[in-house]
Amino acid sequence: IAKSHSGSFKQGQTGAVYTVTVSNSAGAAPSSGTVTVSETVPRGMTLVGMNGGATWNCTVLPTCTTSSVVNGASSYPPITVTVNVAGTATSPQVNSVSVSGGGSATANTTDSTVIIVNPVLGIAKTHTGKFMQGQKEATYAVTVSNGAGAGPTRGTVTVTETVPSGMTLVSLSGGATWNCTVLPNCTTSSVLSGGKSYAAITVTVNVASNAPSQLTNQVSVSGGGSGPASIGDLTLVGGPSLRFVPVTPCRIADTRNPDGPFG
């Protein structure tokens, strides 16, 4: 018995496929009676189905059976084994299969499969101090990181900024790493390895003159092969500052008593 697959599988992949082929050695006698193929998937996989065409009966998983005769130096039609890969599957996953019956001794084999580990993106948002009503160009810092031991990102990563009522988004800037030309998003296709962070994004906002005393600014990250993540940053907002304007004192004339205390 032989088992093969093409390429690597990915965490969370559905419908991944193995091919199983049962053959009879050159010079061996023809098979007799029922031949049974038994599939054993590892803990990081779930068996979805087995299909061997007209030759094999695969209705009772995890087995396929046939009473067809296979001569020496010949093979049965292949069996397609379909599995789903767990989102937390480790690498490698070793898939086993065996064949028994038909007048032959039992044979078995394994197929070691590399599992591409997914990235696990997180996002953080910070600011300094208190914002003020009517403040122009107040700033937040947004940082996207990949979890320690996680796989590298794949494809486009998108950060989306959501400002609350009481603020207006002015700009997003992420340097050479991020493309922030279409607000409220920044995107990048740069690969981020596990345990690393992208360059920070600066979020610039204007605060309304009637903004409430607390505002929560939201931001999210998606794509790159990772599940989405989001976070809010609670911001305290102060009222307008009062400015003391000195007043020039005036002298009051007392016409009834020119020499009195008022002069």
Side-chain angles (χ1 to χ4, degrees), residues 75-86:
S75 299
Y76 285 117
I79 298 169
T80 299
V81 177
T82 304
V83 299
N84 291 342
V85 184

Side-chain angles (χ1 to χ4, degrees), residues 7-90:
S8 300
F9 295 170
K10 296 182 291 187
Q11 287 180 330
Q13 182 175 347
T14 58
V17 171
Y18 291 96
T19 300
V20 173
T21 305
V22 175
S23 59
N24 196 0
S25 300
S31 63
S32 60
T34 302
V35 174
T36 301
V37 168
S38 299
E39 174 71 19
T40 305
V41 295
R43 295 181 63 181
M45 292 182 177
T46 302
L47 180 62
V48 177
M50 300 173 72
N51 188 346
T55 300
W56 295 95
N57 180 354
C58 303
T59 55
V60 182
L61 297 180
T63 61
C64 291
T65 60
T66 185
S67 296
S68 299
V69 175
V70 62
N71 295 314
S74 298
S75 299
Y76 285 117
I79 298 169
T80 299
V81 177
T82 304
V83 299
N84 291 342
V85 184
T88 56
T90 56

Side-chain angles (χ1 to χ4, degrees), residues 102-248:
S104 168
T106 299
N108 55 72
T109 191
T110 60
D111 187 8
S112 181
T113 308
V114 173
I115 305 297
I116 298 174
V117 179
N118 288 331
V120 181
L121 294 181
I123 192 164
K125 189 171 198 175
T126 60
H127 70 282
T128 301
K130 180 188 290 187
F131 293 173
M132 302 300 296
Q133 289 179 332
Q135 183 176 348
K136 303 297 184 183
E137 298 188 349
T139 60
Y140 294 92
V142 172
T143 305
V144 175
S145 58
N146 195 1
T153 56
R154 308 184 299 271
T156 302
V157 175
T158 301
V159 168
T160 302
E161 174 70 20
T162 305
V163 296
S165 177
M167 284 185 180
T168 303
L169 179 61
V170 177
S171 66
L172 297 167
S173 176
T177 302
W178 296 95
N179 179 351
C180 304
T181 55
V182 181
L183 297 181
N185 299 322
C186 289
T187 60
T188 183
S189 296
S190 298
V191 176
L192 185 65
S193 301
K196 302 292 185 180
S197 298
Y198 285 120
I201 298 170
T202 299
V203 180
T204 303
V205 299
N206 289 341
V207 184
S209 59
N210 61 346
S213 60
Q214 293 185 355
L215 291 172
T216 300
N217 201 317
Q218 300 282 343
V219 69
S220 64
V221 61
S222 60
S226 169
S230 62
I231 195 168
D233 187 10
L234 177 63
T235 308
L236 299 180
V237 179
S241 299
L242 296 178
R243 186 167 59 93
F244 175 73
V245 179
V247 177
T248 303

